[in-house]
Amino acid sequence: MGKIIFLDVDGTLVDYENHLPESAVLAVRKARENGHRVYICTGRSKAEVYENIWEIGLDGMIGGNGSYVEDHGHVVMHQMITPEQCRHIVDWLKERGLEFYLESNAGLFASAGFEEAGEPVIQEYSRRKGKEGADKIKVRDAFPEMIFDGELYRDDVNKVSFILNQYQDYKDAVTEFSDLQAGTWGGAGEIALFGDLGVKNITKGNAIAHLLEYLHADVADTIAFGDAKVDIPMLEYCGYGVAMGSGGDEIRAMADYVTGDVDQNGLYDAMKKNIGIFLVLCIMLTACKNDKFPYDDELDDSEKNEISTEYDSLIDRKIANTKDEKINIGYDEALSEYEGYL
C-alpha cells in the first residue's frame, strides 16, 4: 500500500536561496520508485514552481497555501480572490505605501517599488534562516520570474503578500479585510516581515482533504514535511508529520519527528533512515501494542531503542486521540509493508 507524501517547498524541498539539493531530488525519486505518491504543498502559486522542481518527478501540487490543488495536470480545486477583492487590496496597500506582489498561476506581479523595498526584507529573511551571504541576495534571486510592470487589477489572484512596515499593518489588514484570510510570514508575531491576504478558511490541511477525497485515499496513509507555522495544519491533518531542523519552535514542538535542514540532507535522511520505519508506525499507530516490532537488520541497538521510544510515544498519543478505536494489524503485515518500501 503506497503512501502519499506532501512536501512544503521553501525550507523543505529547496533552501531559502532556491537551491535544490541533489539529495532532496534523490529522496523524492526513490519514494516514487517505491510506489508512493509525492505532491508539493506550498505557499507558492503554480507560476513559482519552476521547471527544476517539476523535473524531479511529482504527482501534483497544492499551491497558494491551499487555494489550488492539482493531480497529474487535472485541477481538483482552485479558489481565488475575486476581482473586487483584488482591487480593494491593491488600492488599500497603495494608499498605505506598502509594497506588495500578487500571486497568480500566471505569474507574480509586483508593485512598482517592491524590488527596491523588498531587498532588505528578503535579506533579513535569509539571515534569520542562517544563510551565508544573505546580504547579497536580491529580489530577483528570490523571485527569478517576478513581473514588475504587469496589470495589478486582476481576476486570477490566489493571494497577495505585502511588506510590513510595522506589525500594525497586519492588524489593520485583519480589520479591513474581514472577508479574507489575513496572515503573516517571515517571522513569528511582531517580528513578521510580510503580511498576506487570501481566500478565507483555506489551509494546506483543508486542501489535502480535498485531494484525498478526489483520490479516494485515506488520511492514515499520508506523511507531511514542513518548516513553518503555515505548515502546522498540514502536519496536524496528515497521519505523520516531519518538521525540518530549520523550522520554528512551534512546528518542531508539534511534529512527530524533527529532521535536519534541507541543505544538510534533512529530507533525504528522514526518508532514507526513518520514513520506512515510520510507514510501519502509521499502520500501527491505532493498533493494540504489539510485543514484536519490525526492525531493519542493519539498525544498531541505539537506533532500535530510538525507534522503540518513538513507537511507544506515538501509540500513546494516537490511541488517546482516537479513544478506543483500534485496528488489529499483525506483525507480518506491518513487516511486509516496511520491506516493500526499502
Side-chain angles (χ1 to χ4, degrees):
M1 178 174 59
K3 302 300 175 184
I4 306 174
I5 299 171
F6 296 97
L7 304 175
D8 172 51
V9 173
D10 297 288
T12 301
L13 182 62
V14 306
D15 67 19
Y16 297 102
E17 296 172 358
N18 273 321
H19 298 144
L20 176 62
E22 187 58 37
S23 64
V25 175
L26 180 60
V28 172
R29 289 177 177 170
K30 283 292 184 183
R32 296 188 77 230
E33 284 174 10
N34 284 286
H36 309 296
R37 287 184 259 194
V38 180
Y39 297 81
I40 54 172
C41 191
T42 175
R44 297 188 185 197
S45 293
K46 189 171 183 178
E48 298 172 86
V49 182
Y50 306 120
E51 197 60 33
N52 66 323
I53 294 178
W54 285 115
E55 287 174 352
I56 299 171
L58 298 168
D59 291 279
M61 70 170 289
I62 292 172
N65 282 334
S67 67
Y68 179 77
V69 181
E70 178 182 304
D71 173 66
H72 293 280
H74 173 74
V75 178
V76 177
M77 180 186 78
H78 193 184
Q79 297 190 43
M80 293 177 285
I81 292 170
T82 68
E84 294 75 21
Q85 289 171 327
C86 180
R87 179 176 290 273
H88 183 190
I89 294 168
V90 169
D91 289 346
W92 187 79
L93 292 172
K94 284 182 175 180
E95 182 180 334
R96 293 180 70 98
L98 300 176
E99 301 301 337
F100 61 93
Y101 62 94
L102 311 179
E103 303 180 37
S104 159
N105 283 5
L108 299 185
F109 299 88
S111 59
F114 182 81
E115 183 168 15
E116 180 179 356
E119 183 173 305
V121 183
I122 293 297
Q123 291 173 352
E124 176 60 22
Y125 181 67
S126 295
R127 270 192 293 272
R128 292 180 183 182
K129 297 297 182 179
K131 301 303 172 187
E132 295 182 4
D135 58 344
K136 297 180 181 179
I137 297 174
K138 306 295 184 184
V139 167
R140 291 178 188 261
D141 296 326
F143 305 108
E145 297 184 16
M146 181 169 274
I147 299 165
F148 294 94
D149 57 355
E151 175 60 54
L152 297 179
Y153 295 132
R154 308 186 61 85
D155 62 1
D156 60 353
V157 175
N158 298 323
K159 63 188 180 81
V160 180
S161 286
F162 57 96
I163 297 171
L164 294 172
N165 290 341
Q166 54 187 340
Y167 191 65
Q168 187 63 42
D169 293 328
Y170 160 69
K171 291 182 175 180
D172 292 344
V174 172
T175 302
E176 181 73 17
F177 299 100
S178 60
D179 57 332
L180 295 169
Q181 186 74 44
T184 62
W185 57 278
E190 295 191 4
I191 66 167
L193 299 172
F194 288 90
D196 61 25
L197 292 162
V199 179
K200 208 169 185 67
N201 299 321
I202 285 293
T203 69
K204 290 184 177 184
N206 176 66
I208 290 172
H210 279 275
L211 178 61
L212 295 182
E213 182 179 2
Y214 171 76
L215 296 174
H216 304 291
D218 193 330
V219 69
D221 295 324
T222 59
I223 305 170
F225 291 75
D227 74 310
K229 185 174 182 178
V230 73
D231 297 320
I232 290 177
M234 171 172 70
L235 269 65
E236 287 177 334
Y237 181 78
C238 287
Y240 199 85
V242 179
M244 305 303 290
S246 59
D249 292 342
E250 194 171 351
I251 191 169
R252 287 189 287 111
M254 60 74 60
D256 294 306
Y257 181 77
V258 179
T259 187
D261 293 0
V262 62
D263 53 5
Q264 297 173 346
N265 302 326
L267 184 61
Y268 177 84
D269 287 345
M271 287 194 184
K272 182 175 185 292
K273 295 171 64 176
N274 298 308
I275 292 302
I277 296 163
F278 292 155
L279 291 174
V280 179
L281 293 178
C282 288
I283 297 173
M284 302 176 75
L285 285 176
T286 55
C288 298
K289 178 93 181 266
N290 225 322
D291 290 335
K292 298 179 178 180
F293 191 85
Y295 291 123
D296 185 338
D297 291 339
E298 296 182 0
L299 294 177
D300 60 31
D301 288 342
S302 65
E303 289 173 315
K304 290 180 180 180
N305 288 335
E306 180 182 355
I307 295 162
S308 183
T309 300
E310 281 284 343
Y311 175 75
D312 290 341
S313 172
L314 289 166
I315 288 293
D316 290 344
R317 287 161 58 189
K318 292 294 184 178
I319 285 184
N321 289 340
T322 56
K323 298 182 180 177
D324 293 327
E325 296 179 15
K326 301 175 182 179
I327 303 170
N328 293 315
I329 297 178
Y331 169 80
D332 291 338
E333 183 175 345
L335 180 59
S336 174
E337 179 77 9
Y338 174 43
E339 289 176 340
Y341 175 81
L342 297 178

